[in-house]
Amino acid sequence: MVAKQLVPDVYNSLSRNNRYAWTVKSVSFIHSTLVAPWALYLTIQSSPMVCEDRVFGWDPRVGTLVSVSAAYFVWDTLEAILSGNDVAFVLHGAACSFIYISGYRPFAVYFGPRALIWELSTPFLNMHWFFDKVGMTGSIWQLVNGLVLVTVFFCVRLVFGMVVSVQFFQTMYVKRHEAPTSLVAFYFIANLILYGLSWFCMVLGLENTRFGKMIAALRKRFPTPEGEPQSIMPIEEKVELDSWSSGSISSGASSADDSSSSEAIDVILGGEGPKTPNGETIDVVFRTAVAAIGQHIQSNSPGLL
């Protein structure tokens, strides 16, 4: 309803699948925009009770926060099942739902807000998709949003995520005789998948990771100074969930090879980028962030520089 009021022409021109995707991404955007700063605040203003006991301590404020996210991930899981999405997304949503619901035992409440800080990158990912759909592909706004997306993704999901993961593993090891073994094992595996895999894959080879493919997909939106085109295989647009909504899924979970995985990332970011007059999709190379911004502004607003 909101989209019909704000951008009626754009929304009405979308296909049925894209209207559905618009709704899914809007819910994701609202959730991440709400919980990310909330989680950041509760991380900075941590309760002494949960700081002293990271496994069994309790903070009612964190309870309210994880209630919101638990409800979202339950919905996210059901939506993935009903829409016939990839099983990896279903497992991702189910794992997150179980993790946050289990916090009411209480269990690992200290790590709840810290895990949800990952949501700081999700609004920018959704905005990138919305820019494509409202006809702002290749605009300065999408460029800046894309650079912020990559920067925040790297900082909160790869760097900060690894710090939290190490703290979690250390805490679980110390408390391994006090907490239920099955619960500790599940949290250990889920944390390893959701928080550690992106960083480990990046160390093994940036080009073949989801983080690297996300950068490659962003590059397609903007022309190089030389205007060098590169054709890519057309891909059928589908309704997809945000695979980074609260953690990374294994790069091999939804594709059999690097090519199909790269195309999947491109779909999530909004499909093909701008095309040359002969119909080929432009492949973009970021020389540097500053050079890219300067080139784009100069080519669109010569009097500005």
Side-chain angles (χ1 to χ4, degrees):
M1 295 299 294
V2 176
K4 290 181 179 180
Q5 297 297 323
L6 296 178
V7 284
D9 294 337
V10 172
Y11 186 81
N12 292 331
S13 66
L14 295 176
S15 65
R16 180 179 180 181
N17 282 349
N18 274 331
R19 290 184 186 182
Y20 182 78
W22 186 295
T23 301
V24 171
K25 288 186 177 295
S26 295
V27 175
S28 172
F29 180 83
I30 293 172
H31 169 257
S32 57
T33 304
L34 172 65
V35 304
W38 189 0
L40 184 61
Y41 170 78
L42 290 181
T43 298
I44 297 174
Q45 300 292 331
S46 294
S47 167
M49 184 178 296
V50 296
C51 289
E52 293 172 2
D53 189 346
R54 296 183 177 184
V55 178
F56 302 110
W58 176 252
D59 183 351
R61 301 175 304 166
V62 177
T64 304
L65 170 65
V66 298
S67 295
V68 174
S69 287
Y72 167 75
F73 285 115
V74 168
W75 171 86
D76 185 58
T77 305
L78 295 175
E79 192 281 327
I81 295 173
L82 295 176
S83 65
N85 226 297
D86 191 282
V87 65
F89 297 131
V90 177
L91 294 176
H92 171 263
C96 290
S97 300
F98 181 84
I99 287 173
Y100 291 117
I101 291 174
S102 297
Y104 289 105
R105 296 179 68 95
F107 187 78
V109 172
Y110 172 87
F111 297 98
R114 287 157 179 80
L116 287 171
I117 288 179
W118 280 51
E119 291 294 321
L120 282 171
S121 64
T122 303
F124 302 105
L125 178 65
N126 289 323
M127 285 302 300
H128 192 93
W129 187 90
F130 286 126
F131 279 135
D132 278 341
K133 294 301 173 282
V134 300
M136 296 180 67
T137 298
S139 67
I140 183 63
W141 296 108
Q142 190 182 48
L143 173 60
V144 173
N145 180 82
L147 293 173
V148 174
L149 165 62
V150 172
T151 302
V152 174
F153 181 90
F154 175 82
C155 292
V156 302
R157 294 186 182 249
L158 298 182
V159 178
F160 180 74
M162 179 51 60
V163 172
V164 175
S165 294
V166 171
Q167 292 179 347
F168 178 82
F169 295 149
Q170 291 176 337
T171 301
M172 290 298 106
Y173 180 79
V174 172
K175 296 285 187 177
R176 65 188 183 281
H177 299 304
E178 301 179 36
T181 303
S182 59
L183 192 61
V184 172
F186 179 86
Y187 266 71
F188 184 89
I189 295 172
N191 187 277
L192 182 64
I193 294 173
L194 299 177
Y195 296 103
L197 191 57
S198 291
W199 176 258
F200 292 140
C201 288
M202 182 179 177
V203 171
L204 293 175
L206 178 62
E207 184 177 354
N208 294 320
T209 65
R210 280 182 175 267
F211 182 73
K213 289 175 179 122
M214 180 175 68
I215 296 176
L218 287 171
R219 289 175 178 172
K220 295 174 184 175
R221 271 38 176 205
F222 307 96
T224 65
E226 296 81 6
E228 299 173 356
Q230 177 181 347
S231 298
I232 63 173
M233 293 294 292
I235 53 179
E236 181 180 358
E237 189 164 20
K238 65 177 182 177
V239 178
E240 81 298 309
L241 292 180
D242 177 8
S243 63
W244 301 302
S245 60
S246 183
S248 299
I249 302 298
S250 170
S251 60
S254 59
S255 62
D257 52 43
D258 291 341
S259 176
S260 58
S261 179
S262 180
E263 291 179 358
I265 298 297
D266 194 52
V267 172
I268 293 175
L269 288 174
E272 296 182 0
K275 296 183 177 181
T276 59
N278 62 5
E280 293 182 302
T281 302
I282 297 175
D283 181 25
V284 182
V285 177
F286 282 157
R287 302 299 181 182
T288 63
V290 175
I293 295 176
Q295 168 68 21
H296 190 83
I297 294 177
Q298 187 173 21
S299 61
N300 290 276
S301 304
L304 200 59
L305 293 178

